[in-house]
Amino acid sequence: MNVNFCSLSSGSSGNCYYLGNEFHGILIDAGISATSIRKFLKDMDITMQTIMGVLITHNHIDHIRGLEILTRKNSIPAFTTHKIWESILTPQRKISRDCIREIPLQQKFHLAGFDIEAFPVCHDAPETVGFHICSGEKKITIATDLGHICQTAAPYIKEANLLVIESNYDEQMLVNGSYPHYLKARIQSDHGHLGNHQTSVFLADIINDSLSHICLAHLSKNNNTPEKALQTLHRTFSERGINLNGQQIISILNRHIPSEIIRLVE
Ligand SMILES: [Zn+2]
Ligand SMILES: [Zn+2]
């Protein structure tokens, strides 16, 4: 079955991704308002009735901003681990109890025609996961908030045909920028975010012919630009003698505008 992927929004102001087949779809994170999610999906002729669930990576607001309304108004089930639910379910947050679904780490579950596995990543939230999602032979990995690529996460990332991976900050922009020292240290730490250089070096190590699409995601508003992220990737690849030869399609996901639909054909 063919699979369509679209980033509705990606960055430190809000993250939400759509993955669908010809019958159903799922969302990964709900970090923008439910109104925006509905509108962006409608623009693609996708109705909320076809959305079978939303997978949640962690409790930071740029990943759960629209979750209350999605569960209360649209009754969309939300899937994440016990520990992440504990961190999300504060008395102030009115998540519909009927929509809470707990999933174990590193165990496949089935939803909307996809086999899905949550894997742990290192980030400064009570727990944070990436998702490895399979449809037939096609494998999609989404890893957007991680300070480094740990040994547990790496195999899920290496297997992807479509990889959505963080390229959060340009190292020079962050160091020279106006953020206070503690915040710079937090972002650069092993539990913060991936910088352009870090991501590029990792990609240069794992690049292979079955990795057909690379989406650089979760770019910082203040410490990065799409041009810098792309330049760093190309420079690192060229330093390593890697010639892309048109085998891989590389996209930079926009912070506020939905991406083109990426179609993986079986
Ligand atoms: Zn984030
Ligand atoms: Zn985060």
Side-chain angles (χ1 to χ4, degrees), residues 11-12 15 57-58 60 62-63 123 144-145 166 168 193 218:
S12 30
N15 295 273
T57 60
H58 62 303
H60 288 165
D62 57 318
H63 298 262
H123 188 54
T144 63
D145 290 58
E166 172 166 59
N168 182 261
H193 292 279
H218 208 295

Side-chain angles (χ1 to χ4, degrees), residues 10-12 15 17 29 57-58 60 62-63 119-125 127-132 141-158 163-169 171 174 184-200 202-203 206 215-219:
S10 180
S12 30
N15 295 273
Y17 307 98
D29 282 332
T57 60
H58 62 303
H60 288 165
D62 57 318
H63 298 262
F119 59 90
V121 296
C122 294
H123 188 54
D124 55 0
E127 184 163 72
T128 304
V129 296
F131 287 103
H132 185 65
T141 301
I142 297 182
T144 63
D145 290 58
L146 60 171
H148 73 288
I149 296 163
C150 63
Q151 284 187 0
T152 320
Y156 294 99
I157 299 176
K158 286 178 185 169
L163 173 61
V164 179
I165 188 163
E166 172 166 59
S167 194
N168 182 261
Y169 61 93
E171 284 79 355
L174 179 68
K184 289 181 183 180
R186 195 216 114 196
I187 292 168
Q188 286 177 307
S189 80
D190 270 359
H191 284 74
H193 292 279
L194 285 178
N196 293 343
H197 183 67
Q198 258 178 306
T199 299
S200 300
F202 177 78
L203 288 173
I206 65 152
C215 298
L216 298 182
H218 208 295
L219 268 66

Side-chain angles (χ1 to χ4, degrees), residues 64 67-69 71-72 78 85 88-90 92-100:
I64 59 167
L67 188 58
E68 282 180 55
I69 303 293
T71 61
R72 273 175 27 216
W85 273 126
I88 290 176
L89 294 172
T90 58
Q92 299 78 26
R93 261 195 208 112
K94 308 275 183 282
I95 310 268
S96 166
R97 296 276 152 173
D98 294 340
C99 292
I100 294 172

Side-chain angles (χ1 to χ4, degrees), residues 9-266:
S9 182
S10 180
S12 30
S13 319
N15 295 273
C16 183
Y17 307 98
Y18 167 83
L19 197 59
N21 51 42
E22 60 184 286
F23 303 112
H24 301 295
I26 56 174
L27 300 172
I28 300 94
D29 282 332
I32 54 176
S33 73
T35 309
S36 297
I37 294 172
R38 272 195 298 275
K39 181 197 175 302
F40 289 148
L41 291 177
K42 189 163 176 265
D43 291 345
M44 296 189 290
D45 286 330
I46 296 164
T47 62
M48 290 305 274
Q49 289 72 36
T50 63
I51 303 296
M52 297 290 106
V54 54
L55 315 178
I56 300 296
T57 60
H58 62 303
N59 75 345
H60 288 165
I61 192 69
D62 57 318
H63 298 262
I64 59 167
R65 187 173 281 110
L67 188 58
E68 282 180 55
I69 303 293
L70 277 190
T71 61
R72 273 175 27 216
K73 212 169 159 184
N74 300 96
S75 303
I76 293 183
F79 297 77
T80 197
T81 66
H82 178 75
K83 210 166 175 183
I84 297 173
W85 273 126
E86 274 185 342
S87 67
I88 290 176
L89 294 172
T90 58
Q92 299 78 26
R93 261 195 208 112
K94 308 275 183 282
I95 310 268
S96 166
R97 296 276 152 173
D98 294 340
C99 292
I100 294 172
R101 305 282 187 279
E102 266 188 26
I103 54 169
L105 274 175
Q106 295 186 274
Q107 273 183 43
K108 277 196 190 118
F109 69 99
H110 195 76
L111 176 68
F114 297 102
D115 286 316
I116 303 170
E117 208 173 326
F119 59 90
V121 296
C122 294
H123 188 54
D124 55 0
E127 184 163 72
T128 304
V129 296
F131 287 103
H132 185 65
I133 304 167
C134 300
S135 170
E137 296 294 303
K138 296 295 172 198
K139 296 169 184 157
I140 299 102
T141 301
I142 297 182
T144 63
D145 290 58
L146 60 171
H148 73 288
I149 296 163
C150 63
Q151 284 187 0
T152 320
Y156 294 99
I157 299 176
K158 286 178 185 169
E159 271 203 25
N161 304 118
L162 189 168
L163 173 61
V164 179
I165 188 163
E166 172 166 59
S167 194
N168 182 261
Y169 61 93
D170 174 79
E171 284 79 355
Q172 280 310 109
M173 283 180 80
L174 179 68
V175 168
N176 297 329
S178 61
Y179 281 12
H181 178 72
Y182 80 89
L183 192 52
K184 289 181 183 180
R186 195 216 114 196
I187 292 168
Q188 286 177 307
S189 80
D190 270 359
H191 284 74
H193 292 279
L194 285 178
N196 293 343
H197 183 67
Q198 258 178 306
T199 299
S200 300
V201 168
F202 177 78
L203 288 173
D205 284 341
I206 65 152
I207 197 106
N208 64 81
D209 286 350
S210 58
L211 176 57
S212 58
H213 293 78
I214 299 170
C215 298
L216 298 182
H218 208 295
L219 268 66
S220 162
K221 180 184 176 195
N222 299 315
N223 298 309
N224 209 356
T225 66
E227 295 74 24
K228 292 236 183 231
L230 199 56
Q231 277 164 11
T232 306
L233 187 74
H234 283 301
R235 192 174 57 242
T236 308
F237 278 20
S238 119
E239 282 166 5
R240 303 273 184 115
I242 296 165
N243 190 344
L244 287 173
N245 279 336
Q247 295 270 26
Q248 278 85 18
I249 296 170
I250 296 173
S251 317
I252 313 284
L253 302 183
N254 192 287
R255 295 169 49 75
H256 302 292
I257 303 168
S259 68
E260 299 279 304
I261 293 174
I262 295 175
R263 178 160 294 176
L264 299 179
V265 181
E266 279 289 334

